[in-house]
C-alpha cells in the first residue's frame, strides 16, 4: 500500500500537465491517483495546453512572454476549434502580430518557448501560499521553467523542494557552449545546489550531474518511473499464432531514434536465412517510418516487409479508442521492437515505452547503446537486447546480433509459437510514487 502522508499539502509545478500522448505529462499525471490515495492535498499549477483536472485544486496559467503564449495558444485553439481553416487563419494573424516581439525575445532568450512560464507559476504559487501554506514543492514534467519557478518559491516560502529531471539537461560528454546549452546547464546547477531532493531517471544521468556539481552530495536520487497496468487488472487480449512472424514497433521515430538496426538485420536475414526473412514482417505504429529507414529499406528492396499503420484513431464500428486498439495490436504481435537511439543521450535515458512493453508479456527485442542499466533491466525481465557502444555505424554493427535473436525467436515461433512471458513487471507508477513519498517523508524528520 502507498505510504500515508495525510494532511501534507504539496504544490506540483508541471507545465504540460494532462496533455494526452505527451510522455512528460503521463509521468506526473499517472502518479496523481497514488498521491491522492496517500492522503496528500494536491495543488497543481500547469500550463494551459492540457485539460483542467477537477479531482483537486488545479490552476492553469499562461506563459508571460510571446513565444510561450503563441505555443500555448496553438494547442488551445487546436483543441477547441473544429474548423481547420479557422484555426489556420487565427494562428496566422497571431503569428504576424507577435513576430517582432518573438524575434526580440529569441535574441535575448534563445531557449525553449515556455521559459517565461516560470514567472506566471511563481506569481500563482505565492498567491496560493498566502491563502494556505504548502509543505513541499514538487517540480517535474519536462520544461525547465517549472524548476526555476520552484527554486524561487522555495526561497520565498522556505519549504522543501523536490525536483524531478526527466531528460538530462546537459548532453553527455559535452561542454555547454551555446547560449541555449549554457541556460540548460545553469538550470541543472540551480537544482543541484538548492533542491532538497533531485531525481533523475537513470543511474548514469545522476552520476554525470554529481560529477559536474559535487555540491549535489547525497541529495541525488534515481527513480525508474514505470507504468501501471494499462489493462487495469482486466484480462489481456489474447495472443494468436499466425502465418507471419509479426515484429511490432510502437511510438515515434526520428533521425536519432531510427529503425535502421532492424532494417540492416532484415537484410542480413535475407542473405543468410531466407526462410526466416520470408516469414518476417516489421509493423510500424504511431507515426511514419523515419526517413533514414525509409530510404535504406527502399534501396535494399526490403520495403515490402515493412507495414506502416500510422496513428490509430477511434473506431466507430467497434467503439474502441485508439489507445485500446494499440494495446490490442501490441498483444497480437509475436514480438515487440524497441530502438534506443543513436545520440549521446542514450547513455542517460531509458525509453518510457519500455515500461509499457513489459506489461504486454510479449517477447521484446531491443537495442541499447552504452546503457548497461537499460540492458540489464531488459534481460532481468526475460527479454532480448542487442548491445553496442555508441559509435559511427552502430546500426550496422548491432544488426548481426539482432538477426541472431530474431532467428532464434523464429525457430521457436515456427515450431510451437511464442507464448507469453507470464512475468509481472515491478516497474510501476505505484512503486515509483511510493518511493517518491518515502523521500518526501524524510524531509520532515
Amino acid at each position: 500500500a502507498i505510504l500515508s502522508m495525510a494532511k501534507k499539502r504539496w504544490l506540483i509545478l508541471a507545465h504540460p500537465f494532462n496533455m494526452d500522448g505527451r510522455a512528460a505529462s503521463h509521468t506526473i499525471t499517472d502518479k496523481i491517483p497514488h498521491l491522492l490515495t496517500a492522503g496528500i492535498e494536491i495543488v497543481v499549477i500547469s500550463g494551459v495546453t492540457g485539460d483542467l483536472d477537477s479531482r483537486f485544486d488545479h490552476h492553469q496559467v499562461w506563459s508571460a512572454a510571446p513565444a510561450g503564449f503563441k505555443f500555448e495558444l496553438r494547442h488551445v485553439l487546436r483543441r477547441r476549434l473544429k474548423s481547420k481553416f479557422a484555426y489556420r487563419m487565427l494562428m496566422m494573424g497571431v503569428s504576424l502580430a507577435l513576430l517582432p516581439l518573438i524575434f526580440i525575445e529569441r535574441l535575448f532568450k534563445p531557449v525553449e518557448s515556455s521559459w517565461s512560464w516560470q514567472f506566471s507559476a511563481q506569481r500563482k504559487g505565492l498567491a496560493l501560499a498566502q491563502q494556505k501554506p504548502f509543505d513541499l514543492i514538487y517540480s517535474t514534467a519536462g520544461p525547465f521553467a517549472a524548476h526555476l519557478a520552484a527554486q524561487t518559491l522555495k526561497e520565498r516560502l522556505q519549504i522543501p523542494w523536490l525536483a524531478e529531471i526527466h531528460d538530462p539537461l546537459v548532453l553527455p560528454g559535452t561542454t555547454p557552449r551555446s547560449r541555449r546549452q549554457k541556460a540548460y546547464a545553469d538550470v541543472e546547477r540551480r537544482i543541484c545546489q538548492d533542491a532538497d531532493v533531485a531525481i533523475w531517471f537513470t543511474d548514469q544521468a545522476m552520476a554525470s550531474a554529481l560529477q559536474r556539481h559535487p555540491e549535489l552530495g547525497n541529495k541525488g536520487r534515481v527513480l525508474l518511473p514505470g507504468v501501471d497496468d494499462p489493462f487495469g487488472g482486466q484480462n489481456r487480449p489474447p495472443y494468436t499464432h499466425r502465418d507471419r512472424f509479426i515484429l511490432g514497433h510502437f511510438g515515434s521515430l526520428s533521425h536519432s531514434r531510427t529503425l535502421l538496426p532492424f532494417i540492416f538485420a532484415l537484410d542480413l536475414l535475407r542473405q543468410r536465412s531466407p526462410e526466416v526473412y520470408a516469414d518476417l514482417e516489421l509493423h510500424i505504429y504511431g507515426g511514419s517510418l523515419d526517413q533514414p529507414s525509409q530510404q535504406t529499406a527502399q534501396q535494399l528492396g526490403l520495403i515490402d516487409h515493412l507495414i506502416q499503420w500510422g496513428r490509430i484513431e477511434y473506431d466507430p464500428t467497434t467503439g474502441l479508442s485508439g489507445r485500446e486498439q494499440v494495446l490490442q495490436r501490441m498483444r497480437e504481435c509475436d514480438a515487440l521492437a524497441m530502438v534506443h537511439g543513436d545520440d549521446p543521450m542514450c547513455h542517460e535515458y531509458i525509453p518510457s515505452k519500455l515500461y509499457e512493453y513489459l506489461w504486454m508479456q510479449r517477447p521484446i527485442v531491443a537495442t541499447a547503446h552504452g546503457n548497461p542499466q537499460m540492458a540489464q533491466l531488459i534481460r532481468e525481465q526475460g527479454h532480448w537486447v542487442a548491445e553496442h557502444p555508441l559509435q559511427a555505424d552502430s546500426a550496422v554493427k548491432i544488426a548481426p546480433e539482432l538477426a541472431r535473436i530474431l532467428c532464434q525467436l523464429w525457430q521457436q515461433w515456427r515450431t510451437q509459437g511464442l507464448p507469453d512471458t507470464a512475468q509481472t513487471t515491478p516497474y510501476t507508477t505505484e512503486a515509483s510514487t511510493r518511493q517518491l513519498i518515502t523521500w518526501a517523508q524524510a524531509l520532515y524528520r
Side-chain angles (χ1 to χ4, degrees):
I2 289 286
L3 300 170
S4 175
M5 281 196 73
K7 299 184 180 178
K8 295 300 182 183
R9 179 171 157 92
W10 286 20
L11 174 61
I12 299 176
L13 304 176
H15 182 272
F17 193 85
N18 264 358
M19 284 186 72
D20 186 35
R22 183 89 177 264
S25 172
H26 292 315
T27 301
I28 175 58
T29 55
D30 290 354
K31 291 189 182 82
I32 294 298
H34 303 302
L35 293 172
L36 293 173
T37 299
I40 298 170
E41 182 183 348
I42 294 172
V43 178
V44 172
I45 300 177
S46 75
V48 299
T49 52
D51 296 325
L52 193 67
D53 204 314
S54 60
R55 294 173 296 172
F56 46 85
D57 198 9
H58 182 193
H59 302 267
Q60 295 180 312
V61 295
W62 293 79
S63 290
F69 175 80
K70 177 186 170 184
F71 168 81
E72 292 158 359
L73 183 65
R74 187 170 72 243
H75 282 273
V76 170
L77 292 179
R78 189 177 292 154
R79 290 203 325 269
R80 297 184 181 177
L81 292 179
K82 295 181 180 179
S83 168
K84 291 184 178 179
F85 176 76
Y87 166 76
R88 288 178 185 144
M89 294 303 294
L90 269 172
M91 283 309 303
M92 185 183 300
V94 170
S95 298
L96 288 172
L98 294 178
L99 185 62
L101 295 174
I102 291 177
F103 176 75
I104 295 170
E105 180 184 348
R106 294 297 190 203
L107 285 178
F108 291 96
K109 277 286 184 181
V111 292
E112 60 191 31
S113 59
S114 58
W115 71 273
S116 64
W117 182 79
Q118 61 180 299
F119 304 117
S120 306
Q122 287 168 20
R123 286 195 298 271
K124 192 66 178 178
L126 288 171
L128 292 170
Q130 288 177 349
Q131 297 172 17
K132 185 178 180 181
F134 293 105
D135 297 294
L136 178 139
I137 302 167
Y138 172 24
S139 60
T140 182
F144 65 67
H147 302 307
L148 295 179
Q151 184 194 31
T152 299
L153 288 170
K154 170 187 165 63
E155 183 180 342
R156 296 284 297 274
L157 303 176
Q158 292 297 296
I159 57 176
W161 168 28
L162 192 152
E164 185 177 81
I165 300 97
H166 290 195
D167 294 321
L169 293 163
V170 176
L171 192 65
T174 67
T175 300
R177 300 191 185 282
S178 69
R179 290 172 63 193
R180 183 185 181 90
Q181 291 168 344
K182 289 178 179 178
Y184 280 94
D186 183 60
V187 174
E188 181 184 80
R189 178 190 61 79
R190 291 167 182 254
I191 291 171
C192 292
Q193 179 177 298
D194 291 343
D196 296 276
V197 173
I199 298 169
W200 285 265
F201 286 170
T202 65
D203 293 337
Q204 187 56 53
M206 191 196 76
S208 296
L210 179 60
Q211 185 176 25
R212 287 187 291 266
H213 303 284
E215 64 270 26
L216 175 64
N218 61 0
K219 299 184 298 180
R221 301 286 189 274
V222 175
L223 183 72
L224 299 180
V227 170
D228 285 331
D229 185 355
F231 300 105
Q234 303 298 315
N235 292 331
R236 292 170 178 77
Y239 159 71
T240 305
H241 180 272
R242 291 174 289 177
D243 60 354
R244 284 288 184 273
F245 184 108
I246 306 300
L247 179 64
H249 179 273
F250 295 78
S252 60
L253 295 164
S254 65
H255 279 269
S256 61
R257 187 189 299 171
T258 168
L259 281 174
L260 275 176
F262 286 94
I263 303 299
F264 290 126
L266 275 174
D267 190 41
L268 288 175
L269 288 171
R270 180 177 60 177
Q271 299 172 41
R272 303 174 184 176
S273 305
E275 68 281 9
V276 180
Y277 173 77
D279 286 336
L280 189 60
E281 289 182 355
L282 178 54
H283 289 211
I284 298 103
Y285 293 90
S288 57
L289 186 62
D290 60 278
Q291 191 175 6
S293 295
Q294 180 84 26
Q295 292 176 343
T296 303
Q298 288 176 335
Q299 291 168 1
L300 296 174
L302 305 173
I303 204 71
D304 289 344
H305 285 253
L306 275 57
I307 314 298
Q308 300 187 56
W309 295 92
R311 185 176 175 85
I312 306 297
E313 304 287 354
Y314 170 75
D315 185 352
T317 306
T318 62
L320 293 176
S321 68
R323 173 70 175 158
E324 290 169 329
Q325 293 177 72
V326 164
L327 293 174
Q328 194 170 26
R329 299 289 182 94
M330 285 184 183
R331 287 285 301 147
E332 291 172 355
C333 290
D334 294 289
L336 299 170
M338 166 69 65
V339 285
H340 191 199
D342 60 1
D343 60 30
M345 196 66 76
C346 292
H347 296 298
E348 302 183 2
Y349 133 89
I350 295 174
S352 58
K353 181 63 69 175
L354 174 60
Y355 300 113
E356 185 177 55
Y357 270 14
L358 292 173
W359 280 105
M360 298 302 116
Q361 297 192 355
R362 303 303 305 141
I364 298 170
V365 183
T367 63
H369 291 103
N371 193 320
Q373 183 184 17
M374 174 180 166
Q376 182 181 358
L377 186 157
I378 293 169
R379 291 193 178 105
E380 283 179 349
Q381 295 299 302
H383 299 283
W384 308 78
V385 59
E387 279 189 275
H388 199 281
L390 192 59
Q391 54 187 241
D393 297 326
S394 288
V396 175
K397 293 173 180 175
I398 209 170
E401 178 63 8
L402 282 178
R404 185 194 67 78
I405 292 170
L406 292 171
C407 196
Q408 188 171 340
L409 288 172
W410 175 85
Q411 291 284 358
Q412 184 181 354
W413 169 85
R414 183 181 63 163
T415 56
Q416 63 189 63
L418 286 169
D420 287 348
T421 63
Q423 185 155 342
T424 302
T425 171
Y427 302 106
T428 65
T429 308
E430 181 178 0
S432 63
T433 307
R434 187 184 302 117
Q435 181 62 77
L436 188 80
I437 291 173
T438 300
W439 292 331
Q441 282 182 319
L443 299 177
Y444 298 106
R445 292 173 184 165

